[in-house]
Short mmCIF file of all heavy atoms in Angstrom, two decimals:
data_model
loop_
_atom_site.label_atom_id
_atom_site.label_comp_id
_atom_site.label_asym_id
_atom_site.label_seq_id
_atom_site.Cartn_x
_atom_site.Cartn_y
_atom_site.Cartn_z
N ASN A 314 -56.94 -112.49 60.74
CA ASN A 314 -56.65 -111.63 59.57
C ASN A 314 -55.37 -110.85 59.70
O ASN A 314 -54.95 -110.20 58.75
CB ASN A 314 -57.85 -110.68 59.34
CG ASN A 314 -59.09 -111.44 58.96
OD1 ASN A 314 -59.07 -112.32 58.11
ND2 ASN A 314 -60.18 -111.18 59.64
N ASN A 315 -54.75 -110.83 60.88
CA ASN A 315 -53.58 -110.00 61.08
C ASN A 315 -52.39 -110.88 61.36
O ASN A 315 -52.30 -111.53 62.42
CB ASN A 315 -53.88 -109.04 62.23
CG ASN A 315 -52.81 -107.99 62.37
OD1 ASN A 315 -51.80 -108.01 61.67
ND2 ASN A 315 -53.03 -107.04 63.26
N GLU A 316 -51.44 -110.93 60.45
CA GLU A 316 -50.25 -111.74 60.62
C GLU A 316 -49.40 -111.32 61.81
O GLU A 316 -48.63 -112.10 62.35
CB GLU A 316 -49.38 -111.71 59.38
CG GLU A 316 -49.97 -112.46 58.19
CD GLU A 316 -49.12 -112.40 56.96
OE1 GLU A 316 -47.88 -112.53 57.08
OE2 GLU A 316 -49.67 -112.24 55.88
N SER A 317 -49.56 -110.07 62.27
CA SER A 317 -48.79 -109.61 63.42
C SER A 317 -49.27 -110.29 64.72
O SER A 317 -48.60 -110.18 65.75
CB SER A 317 -48.88 -108.10 63.56
OG SER A 317 -50.20 -107.71 63.87
N ASP A 318 -50.38 -111.01 64.65
CA ASP A 318 -50.87 -111.78 65.81
C ASP A 318 -50.21 -113.15 65.94
O ASP A 318 -50.55 -113.95 66.82
CB ASP A 318 -52.37 -111.96 65.79
CG ASP A 318 -53.14 -110.65 65.98
OD1 ASP A 318 -52.61 -109.76 66.66
OD2 ASP A 318 -54.24 -110.52 65.46
N ILE A 319 -49.25 -113.43 65.07
CA ILE A 319 -48.52 -114.68 65.09
C ILE A 319 -47.08 -114.41 65.44
O ILE A 319 -46.37 -113.68 64.78
CB ILE A 319 -48.58 -115.40 63.71
CG1 ILE A 319 -50.03 -115.61 63.28
CG2 ILE A 319 -47.80 -116.69 63.73
CD1 ILE A 319 -50.18 -116.12 61.86
N LYS A 320 -46.64 -114.98 66.55
CA LYS A 320 -45.30 -114.75 67.07
C LYS A 320 -44.54 -116.07 67.10
O LYS A 320 -45.08 -117.06 67.60
CB LYS A 320 -45.33 -114.17 68.51
CG LYS A 320 -46.14 -112.88 68.60
CD LYS A 320 -45.44 -111.75 67.91
CE LYS A 320 -46.28 -110.47 68.15
NZ LYS A 320 -46.15 -109.53 67.07
N GLU A 321 -43.27 -116.07 66.65
CA GLU A 321 -42.48 -117.27 66.71
C GLU A 321 -42.17 -117.59 68.16
O GLU A 321 -41.86 -116.72 68.96
CB GLU A 321 -41.17 -117.09 65.95
CG GLU A 321 -40.33 -118.36 65.91
CD GLU A 321 -39.04 -118.23 65.14
OE1 GLU A 321 -38.91 -117.24 64.41
OE2 GLU A 321 -38.19 -119.09 65.29
N TYR A 322 -42.29 -118.84 68.50
CA TYR A 322 -41.95 -119.30 69.85
C TYR A 322 -40.56 -119.96 69.76
O TYR A 322 -40.40 -121.01 69.17
CB TYR A 322 -43.00 -120.34 70.34
CG TYR A 322 -42.88 -120.61 71.82
CD1 TYR A 322 -43.58 -119.87 72.72
CD2 TYR A 322 -42.00 -121.57 72.29
CE1 TYR A 322 -43.45 -120.09 74.08
CE2 TYR A 322 -41.87 -121.78 73.64
CZ TYR A 322 -42.58 -121.04 74.53
OH TYR A 322 -42.46 -121.28 75.86
N LYS A 323 -39.57 -119.29 70.32
CA LYS A 323 -38.21 -119.78 70.29
C LYS A 323 -37.99 -120.87 71.32
O LYS A 323 -38.37 -120.72 72.49
CB LYS A 323 -37.24 -118.62 70.60
CG LYS A 323 -37.33 -117.47 69.64
CD LYS A 323 -36.45 -117.70 68.46
CE LYS A 323 -36.44 -116.45 67.63
NZ LYS A 323 -35.76 -116.59 66.39
N LEU A 324 -37.45 -122.00 70.88
CA LEU A 324 -37.14 -123.07 71.80
C LEU A 324 -35.89 -122.72 72.57
O LEU A 324 -34.91 -122.22 71.97
CB LEU A 324 -36.93 -124.36 71.07
CG LEU A 324 -38.12 -124.94 70.34
CD1 LEU A 324 -37.75 -126.22 69.59
CD2 LEU A 324 -39.22 -125.24 71.32
N SER A 325 -35.86 -122.98 73.86
CA SER A 325 -34.67 -122.68 74.66
C SER A 325 -33.68 -123.79 74.51
O SER A 325 -34.00 -124.89 74.06
CB SER A 325 -35.07 -122.50 76.12
OG SER A 325 -35.45 -123.73 76.64
N ASP A 326 -32.45 -123.56 74.92
CA ASP A 326 -31.41 -124.57 74.85
C ASP A 326 -31.65 -125.70 75.85
O ASP A 326 -31.06 -126.73 75.73
CB ASP A 326 -30.05 -123.96 75.14
CG ASP A 326 -29.62 -123.00 74.05
OD1 ASP A 326 -30.10 -123.18 72.91
OD2 ASP A 326 -28.80 -122.10 74.32
N THR A 327 -32.56 -125.48 76.82
CA THR A 327 -32.87 -126.50 77.78
C THR A 327 -34.04 -127.40 77.34
O THR A 327 -34.51 -128.18 78.09
CB THR A 327 -33.21 -125.89 79.13
OG1 THR A 327 -34.34 -125.02 78.96
CG2 THR A 327 -32.03 -125.10 79.70
N SER A 328 -34.45 -127.23 76.09
CA SER A 328 -35.52 -128.03 75.57
C SER A 328 -35.18 -129.52 75.64
O SER A 328 -34.01 -129.86 75.52
CB SER A 328 -35.82 -127.64 74.12
OG SER A 328 -36.69 -128.56 73.51
N SER A 329 -36.18 -130.36 75.75
CA SER A 329 -35.94 -131.80 75.80
C SER A 329 -35.50 -132.33 74.44
O SER A 329 -35.03 -133.45 74.36
CB SER A 329 -37.21 -132.53 76.23
OG SER A 329 -38.21 -132.41 75.24
N GLU A 330 -35.65 -131.54 73.43
CA GLU A 330 -35.28 -131.96 72.09
C GLU A 330 -33.73 -131.99 72.00
O GLU A 330 -33.11 -130.94 72.02
CB GLU A 330 -35.86 -131.04 71.05
CG GLU A 330 -35.60 -131.44 69.63
CD GLU A 330 -36.27 -132.73 69.20
OE1 GLU A 330 -37.10 -133.25 69.92
OE2 GLU A 330 -35.90 -133.22 68.14
N LYS A 331 -33.15 -133.17 71.85
CA LYS A 331 -31.70 -133.27 71.82
C LYS A 331 -31.15 -132.98 70.45
O LYS A 331 -30.11 -132.38 70.31
CB LYS A 331 -31.28 -134.69 72.26
CG LYS A 331 -31.87 -135.07 73.61
CD LYS A 331 -30.78 -135.38 74.59
CE LYS A 331 -31.25 -135.86 75.93
NZ LYS A 331 -32.25 -135.13 76.58
N LYS A 332 -31.82 -133.41 69.40
CA LYS A 332 -31.36 -133.20 68.05
C LYS A 332 -32.07 -131.93 67.49
O LYS A 332 -33.26 -131.74 67.71
CB LYS A 332 -31.70 -134.33 67.14
CG LYS A 332 -31.04 -135.65 67.50
CD LYS A 332 -31.51 -136.72 66.54
CE LYS A 332 -31.35 -138.07 67.12
NZ LYS A 332 -32.02 -139.08 66.34
N PRO A 333 -31.33 -131.08 66.78
CA PRO A 333 -32.00 -129.96 66.19
C PRO A 333 -32.93 -130.44 65.08
O PRO A 333 -32.69 -131.49 64.48
CB PRO A 333 -30.85 -129.11 65.59
CG PRO A 333 -29.74 -130.08 65.44
CD PRO A 333 -29.91 -131.14 66.46
N PHE A 334 -33.99 -129.71 64.83
CA PHE A 334 -34.89 -130.05 63.77
C PHE A 334 -35.18 -128.82 62.94
O PHE A 334 -35.03 -127.70 63.38
CB PHE A 334 -36.18 -130.71 64.25
CG PHE A 334 -36.96 -129.91 65.24
CD1 PHE A 334 -37.89 -128.99 64.82
CD2 PHE A 334 -36.74 -130.03 66.59
CE1 PHE A 334 -38.62 -128.23 65.72
CE2 PHE A 334 -37.46 -129.30 67.52
CZ PHE A 334 -38.40 -128.40 67.07
N SER A 335 -35.59 -129.04 61.70
CA SER A 335 -35.83 -127.90 60.82
C SER A 335 -37.33 -127.61 60.86
O SER A 335 -38.13 -128.16 60.14
CB SER A 335 -35.41 -128.25 59.38
OG SER A 335 -36.10 -129.39 58.93
N GLY A 336 -37.71 -126.77 61.77
CA GLY A 336 -39.07 -126.35 61.92
C GLY A 336 -39.19 -125.30 62.98
O GLY A 336 -38.23 -125.04 63.71
N LYS A 337 -40.36 -124.65 63.02
CA LYS A 337 -40.56 -123.61 64.04
C LYS A 337 -41.96 -123.75 64.61
O LYS A 337 -42.91 -124.14 63.92
CB LYS A 337 -40.42 -122.24 63.39
CG LYS A 337 -39.03 -121.90 62.89
CD LYS A 337 -38.99 -120.50 62.31
CE LYS A 337 -37.59 -120.18 61.76
NZ LYS A 337 -37.57 -118.83 61.20
#
Side-chain angles (χ1 to χ4, degrees):
N314 295 312
N315 190 353
E316 288 179 42
S317 66
D318 290 332
I319 302 171
K320 305 290 183 209
E321 183 179 348
Y322 192 91
K323 301 272 187 187
L324 294 178
S325 69
D326 292 335
T327 60
S328 170
S329 67
E330 182 68 11
K331 306 239 183 312
K332 297 179 203 169
F334 57 89
S335 59
K337 294 181 181 180

